[in-house]
């Protein structure tokens, strides 16, 4: 039986290769994403295989504080988080280079990806030292909006992000706000249709006493 450590190591290698190939071959490699799309979405979802390992990670950290777990358990679960970050980076390259007219990024796939990628903000904000990973997530969200090319998708994506600006975690609010601001920079005048629903959330954040989500 394959150990968790071995499985995670293979997945990390796989998605690192996928990211590199997509950067190099661009839209030539894009169609191959269809062969592992379901697995990739599952890895990002909280009820997917990586989500299961991530829950182990949180439990392991608590047990570690009580001196009842091994370093190997914590290391293995931390590796599952790094795999998910690698998946996000791979999808970012997909969004950048998908110029084949929705062959891979169908409406159904985009909506599944939106739900999985946006919710990953909760994992990022729960760990304080993931600055680069957070930047990768924000750029992935923005490139996903660009790849969709429809205001219907932008509206739902923006709504998802805005709801996270009301999260109890200051880190989550901050990252969601960063994504919204970058979305504005990406869409420019196209964002005007989303402005009426966005302004009330921004007004709430101006009253936020936490320094991470006030400007």
């Amino acid at each position: 039986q394959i150990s968790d450590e071995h499985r995670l190591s293979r997945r990390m290698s796989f998605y690192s290769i996928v990211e590199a190939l997509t950067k190099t071959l661009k839209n030539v490699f894009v169609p191959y994403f269809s062969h592992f799309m379901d697995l990739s979405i599952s890895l990002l979802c909280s009820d997917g295989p990586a989500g299961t390992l991530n829950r182990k990670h949180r439990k392991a950290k608590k047990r570690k504080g009580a001196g009842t777990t091994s370093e190997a358990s914590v290391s293995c679960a931390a590796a599952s988080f790094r795999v998910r970050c690698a998946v996000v980076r791979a999808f970012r390259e997909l969004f950048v280079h998908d110029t084949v007219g929705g062959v891979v990024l169908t409406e159904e796939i985009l909506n599944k990806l939106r739900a999985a990628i946006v919710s990953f903000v909760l994992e990022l904000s729960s760990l304080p030292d993931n600055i680069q990973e957070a930047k990768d997530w924000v750029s992935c969200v923005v490139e996903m909006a660009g790849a969709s090319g429809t205001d219907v998708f932008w509206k739902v994506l923006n709504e998802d992000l805005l709801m996270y600006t009301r999260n109890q975690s200051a880190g989550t609010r901050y990252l969601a706000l960063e994504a919204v601001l970058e979305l504005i920079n990406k869409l420019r005048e196209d964002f005007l249709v989303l402005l009426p629903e966005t302004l009330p959330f921004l007004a709430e954040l101006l009253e936020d006493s936490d320094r991470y989500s006030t400007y």
Side-chain angles (χ1 to χ4, degrees):
Q1 185 178 2
I2 301 176
S3 66
D4 284 345
E5 292 87 348
H6 189 196
R7 183 179 297 109
L8 289 167
S9 178
R10 292 200 306 184
R11 285 175 177 168
M12 188 70 197
S13 298
F14 175 75
Y15 283 101
S16 296
I17 292 172
V18 167
E19 180 188 5
L21 285 173
T22 312
K23 281 182 177 180
T24 303
L25 300 178
K26 303 184 185 326
N27 63 342
V28 173
F29 187 78
V30 163
Y32 290 97
F33 271 81
S34 61
H35 296 291
F36 48 88
M37 182 65 73
D38 289 341
L39 170 63
S40 302
I41 293 174
S42 175
L43 286 171
L44 284 178
C45 292
S46 60
D47 57 349
T52 301
L53 285 174
N54 201 54
R55 287 192 293 274
K56 287 182 183 178
H57 175 38
R58 290 195 293 266
K59 292 178 181 178
K61 286 182 71 177
K62 292 180 181 178
R63 291 197 300 269
K64 183 182 181 184
T68 58
T69 190
S70 67
E71 291 291 338
S73 297
V74 175
S75 176
C76 176
S80 73
F81 173 78
R82 291 195 296 272
V83 168
R84 296 169 79 157
C85 291
V87 174
V88 168
R89 291 194 299 272
F91 275 134
R92 178 184 60 190
E93 296 306 318
L94 168 64
F95 299 142
V96 169
H97 299 296
D98 180 24
T99 58
V100 293
V103 173
V104 175
L105 294 176
T106 63
E107 181 179 354
E108 180 183 5
I109 291 297
L110 272 170
N111 282 318
K112 287 182 178 180
L113 286 171
R114 172 186 52 76
I117 291 171
V118 172
S119 64
F120 190 52
V121 67
L122 295 173
E123 305 295 339
L124 289 166
S125 60
S126 66
L127 300 171
D129 299 324
N130 299 312
I131 297 176
Q132 185 57 53
E133 289 82 357
K135 290 180 179 179
D136 291 338
W137 174 80
V138 170
S139 64
C140 181
V141 169
V142 171
E143 294 300 342
M144 177 168 56
S148 71
T150 67
D151 57 357
V152 174
F153 184 86
W154 298 339
K155 179 179 176 60
V156 180
L157 175 61
N158 190 52
E159 288 174 352
D160 287 348
L161 293 170
L162 290 173
M163 291 309 298
Y164 279 113
T165 66
R166 291 177 171 172
N167 192 271
Q168 291 183 346
S169 165
T172 298
R173 296 196 300 274
Y174 173 76
L175 286 178
L177 178 58
E178 280 288 304
V180 171
L181 294 177
E182 289 302 318
L183 189 61
I184 293 172
N185 289 332
K186 177 76 172 181
L187 299 181
R188 296 184 180 274
E189 62 272 11
D190 289 332
F191 192 85
L192 289 174
V193 296
L194 308 177
L195 196 58
E197 65 194 49
T198 304
L199 287 177
F201 288 86
L202 297 182
E204 288 180 15
L205 289 170
L206 287 175
E207 300 176 3
D208 196 327
S209 60
D210 193 285
R211 64 186 179 89
Y212 289 109
S213 49
T214 35
Y215 284 78

